[in-house]
Amino acid sequence: MSVTSGFAASMAPVFFKAGCPDCRARFELSAGALRLAIGGSHRTTFYSFTCPECGSAVRKPAGERIIELLTGGGVSTLRLHSTVRNV
């Protein structure tokens, strides 16, 4: 995952380079094409998108650096909360 941006008037659109593990296509996605979910663990923190080539739903783990890149680039973030029950 990497970020590319052009410098236009005030704010240039941000694109993220990504790849599909199913069809092996490489492409760029806009912030609107990605979703970021931040959970309570590494297993529940991920980003996802739909491959524009084959249509597969792709889900990849997101570490701290990926989270910084995606949130800084305007990707919508969903914070997942676990429910704890007191018995």
Side-chain angles (χ1 to χ4, degrees), residues 18-73:
C20 178
D22 291 338
C23 71
R24 302 271 189 219
R26 305 284 303 158
F27 40 81
E28 290 186 351
L29 298 170
S30 68
L34 292 153
R35 293 163 302 282
L36 173 63
I38 300 176
S41 72
H42 288 96
R43 288 180 56 187
T44 58
T45 301
F46 60 90
Y47 66 98
S48 62
F49 58 89
T50 300
C51 175
E53 297 293 322
C54 71
S56 291
V58 179
R59 177 176 162 164
K60 295 187 176 187
E64 288 183 35
R65 181 70 181 136
I66 297 294
I67 293 169
E68 286 178 30
L69 289 171
L70 295 177
T71 55

